[in-house]
Amino acid sequence: MNLQINHHTIEQTHSLKLAGEVDAYTAPKLKEVLVPLTEKEGQEIIIDLSGIEYMDSTGLGIFVGALKSTKANNSSMKLRGMTERVRRIFEITGLTEVMDIENEVKGEAK
Amino acid sequence: MTGKDAIIDRYQDLITTYIKGKSETALYKGQQFSRKLIEQQISPEDVISLHIQVMHDLFPDMDEDMRDSFDFLLEVMIGYGFAYREHQSLRDKQQQLESEIEVAASMQQTLLLSDVPEVDCLDIGVISVPAKKMNGDYFNFVKDGNALSVAVADIIGKGIPAALCMSMIKYAMDSLPQQQQKPHLLLENLNHVVEQNVHPNMFITMLHGLYNPDNHTFSYAGAGHEPGFIYRASEDRFEDMIAKGIVLGVSRTATYQPYEKAIEIGDMIILLSDGVTECRTSKGFIERDEIVALIRKHMDRPAQELVQSVFEELEKLQEFELRDDFTLIVLKRVV
């Protein structure tokens, strides 16, 4: 399974729409796109995860790294459109407490 | 006859056969011969020089221009010879690295080995199996007077960095002995250590608990770890062992909530890593219910056989290919 990343930028706002899986194999691809955005000052990054069927802990690690980096650079990152399975791992790991996550949950991707 | 002479003779035989018969078999033999040349580390330009020598012997009247063209070819091939030798030395280096990783992996096993202690009232079973050479899961038992401290952790990020990070965790835990008594404080302190020392993409999930055999309570706290289960013998029911808290290494000011459960005779405390619930089969994910069903199926057996059997069944469901490290710990109160 692969990861598709759709990326649109309007001024300081970057919208990423992800589809597929974020795991140890695809995480480097996400990192390559996401990390440079977080390293600039005053950016707003919005990530739509509604197309993600599976995320493992390595994938989660990319978001943790991105969160730290946005904070260090006065930027922001918002996650939206999580499926239940993905939301569950953000909840178990307590990351829902520190990340900006839009509160609408999509049904399980089957 | 030296090795080199033997090779020249063999090459001469093969090429003569081919020139005479132009058969597929002779060509195929040539292909096989090249494997033998590679084995003996004969470089491309050596093969050309071999060819020149043999052609001189076979066709003494060869056209002068043709002869010169071979010498030219020899020069052209020298670059390939360098590339070939570089490849050889890289291959040697790779083998060396692999054997170093083997050594590191076995050192990790030795360093992090935690003996399963004997506690009168508990039957303890543990299994921890890495998906690759280095295990990213970690468990640790410490017997502190009467009490038993148990920790299970999953280091996110794989391979060698995770393994190094795990050693850090082990030594940090060993240096905080008074906090072993209070799982939520232990996690708070570990969080400081981890937050200051790991790569931004890395974090650790951990569940730490303390079994007190004097009053049979299990106090615990969790840092973003996959919830375990408590089996209630009196109700014949598994309950989720919820422990809210953020993973170690993300938020400097994190605090953790203490939990405490009374454990009756026949109850079981089940701790696991997310490798257990993130098992993927051809039919999809293994749900927590299915794990419970497997534990239920084997729960009448001694704890060590129980964890072993659950692992074997899950391994079979995944067609014997672990995608993630797997750790399962069962503490069963027997008296």
Side-chain angles (χ1 to χ4, degrees):
Chain A
M1 195 56 197
N2 240 315
L3 172 67
Q4 283 99 46
I5 305 175
N6 257 313
H7 179 186
H8 290 284
T9 298
I10 302 167
E11 290 170 3
Q12 313 274 78
T13 306
H14 309 272
S15 306
L16 299 185
K17 190 166 168 51
L18 311 184
E21 300 187 350
V22 191
D23 61 12
Y25 303 98
T26 60
K29 186 174 170 185
L30 174 61
K31 192 175 167 186
E32 208 174 284
V33 177
L34 182 55
V35 170
L37 303 179
T38 65
E39 284 170 344
K40 283 182 261 175
E41 286 278 322
Q43 309 294 306
E44 188 188 7
I45 303 160
I46 301 166
I47 306 175
D48 184 334
L49 297 171
S50 55
I52 294 294
E53 296 139 45
Y54 173 75
M55 188 184 301
D56 75 357
S57 38
T58 312
L60 217 50
I62 303 297
F63 290 98
V64 168
L67 175 77
K68 289 181 184 175
S69 174
T70 48
K71 281 193 174 165
N73 294 299
N74 290 317
S75 290
S76 73
M77 179 174 76
K78 184 181 202 137
L79 306 179
R80 61 153 56 132
M82 288 182 189
T83 61
E84 261 171 62
R85 181 172 285 281
V86 170
R87 191 176 177 86
R88 180 179 175 270
I89 74 164
F90 276 89
E91 265 165 11
I92 285 177
T93 49
L95 292 172
T96 41
E97 305 294 313
V98 291
M99 285 192 183
D100 185 356
I101 296 172
E102 206 166 88
N103 221 354
E104 131 231 17
V105 175
K106 293 228 172 176
E108 182 88 349
K110 283 263 158 78
Chain B
M1 190 184 275
T2 67
K4 198 176 176 199
D5 289 336
I7 286 170
I8 293 173
D9 280 359
R10 180 79 182 128
Y11 190 73
Q12 188 156 352
D13 280 353
L14 288 172
I15 203 162
T16 316
T17 316
Y18 177 66
I19 289 170
K20 277 189 194 145
K22 309 264 190 302
S23 70
E24 285 285 326
T25 339
L27 270 185
Y28 177 65
K29 281 191 176 154
Q31 247 183 52
Q32 280 182 315
F33 185 63
S34 75
R35 256 172 247 150
K36 198 177 157 197
L37 293 173
I38 289 169
E39 251 170 52
Q40 304 212 356
Q41 308 205 349
I42 291 175
S43 68
E45 77 265 32
D46 286 341
V47 178
I48 306 287
S49 117
L50 179 65
H51 186 76
I52 295 172
Q53 207 175 330
V54 168
M55 292 310 270
H56 276 275
D57 292 347
L58 288 179
F59 305 102
D61 309 324
M62 194 181 3
D63 183 68
E64 183 88 20
D65 289 349
M66 194 62 87
R67 228 172 254 232
D68 293 344
S69 84
F70 282 136
D71 290 336
F72 187 79
L73 178 62
L74 186 62
E75 286 303 314
V76 172
M77 288 308 283
I78 283 176
Y80 284 91
F82 282 126
Y84 174 75
R85 276 183 291 274
E86 199 177 337
H87 170 80
Q88 286 288 341
S89 97
L90 280 177
R91 221 174 52 171
D92 291 348
K93 249 183 226 161
Q94 191 199 356
Q95 270 166 1
Q96 196 187 336
L97 280 176
E98 257 169 39
S99 77
E100 278 176 22
I101 292 173
E102 293 283 353
V103 173
S106 74
M107 214 148 95
Q108 186 203 16
Q109 295 295 336
T110 322
L111 270 177
L112 301 177
L113 203 65
S114 178
D115 286 333
V116 179
E118 300 261 331
V119 180
D120 289 342
C121 58
L122 296 176
D123 177 19
I124 303 174
V126 180
I127 187 165
S128 185
V129 184
K132 292 205 185 111
K133 278 180 188 147
M134 307 284 254
N135 199 340
D137 282 358
Y138 173 60
F139 70 91
N140 183 33
F141 286 103
V142 178
K143 216 174 159 185
D144 192 356
N146 237 348
L148 176 72
S149 134
V150 54
V152 51
D154 187 354
I155 286 78
I156 284 37
K158 304 237 179 293
I160 296 172
L164 292 174
C165 181
M166 199 181 310
S167 304
M168 179 180 85
I169 286 291
K170 178 191 159 59
Y171 291 107
M173 280 181 81
D174 288 351
S175 65
L176 303 168
Q178 69 281 13
Q179 270 125 9
Q180 300 274 2
Q181 301 288 350
K182 299 265 184 233
H184 66 288
L185 294 181
L186 177 100
L187 291 181
E188 203 177 308
N189 279 296
L190 275 182
N191 180 53
H192 287 295
V193 176
V194 174
E195 205 268 335
Q196 283 165 32
N197 292 292
V198 300
H199 185 271
N201 283 343
M202 272 172 87
F203 60 83
I204 295 168
T205 76
M206 182 183 274
L207 191 127
H208 182 254
L210 188 78
Y211 191 92
N212 183 346
D214 296 332
N215 58 6
H216 295 287
T217 54
F218 185 66
S219 47
Y220 65 94
H225 197 78
E226 176 75 31
F229 303 97
I230 292 183
Y231 173 70
R232 296 299 188 188
S234 59
E235 303 161 54
D236 188 25
R237 188 173 62 84
F238 286 84
E239 57 186 47
D240 281 341
M241 205 166 95
I242 302 291
K244 284 205 156 135
I246 189 164
V247 294
L248 304 176
V250 172
S251 168
R252 187 166 302 175
T253 53
T255 55
Y256 296 90
Q257 206 175 322
Y259 295 83
E260 191 171 273
K261 299 270 182 191
I263 304 297
E264 309 293 335
I265 292 173
D267 286 359
M268 287 191 290
I269 299 161
I270 296 147
L271 309 178
L272 39 83
S273 68
D274 66 4
V276 179
T277 49
E278 291 287 303
C279 282
R280 277 210 273 193
T281 68
S282 48
K283 289 190 209 107
F285 294 91
I286 300 204
E287 301 296 336
R288 282 170 67 87
D289 303 354
E290 295 173 74
I291 305 286
V292 165
L294 281 177
I295 294 172
R296 187 177 277 284
K297 182 173 162 192
H298 297 287
M299 72 183 179
D300 294 332
R301 308 167 74 173
Q304 191 56 42
E305 284 179 29
L306 192 170
V307 295
Q308 194 75 37
S309 308
V310 171
F311 170 68
E312 278 161 17
E313 292 212 22
L314 283 173
E315 198 188 25
K316 219 182 288 169
L317 286 173
Q318 294 186 90
E319 280 142 10
F320 301 97
E321 210 176 303
L322 284 187
R323 278 181 68 125
D324 200 356
D325 307 326
F326 179 102
T327 298
L328 181 63
I329 297 177
V330 170
L331 312 177
K332 199 191 272 190
R333 182 179 166 195
V334 284
V335 284

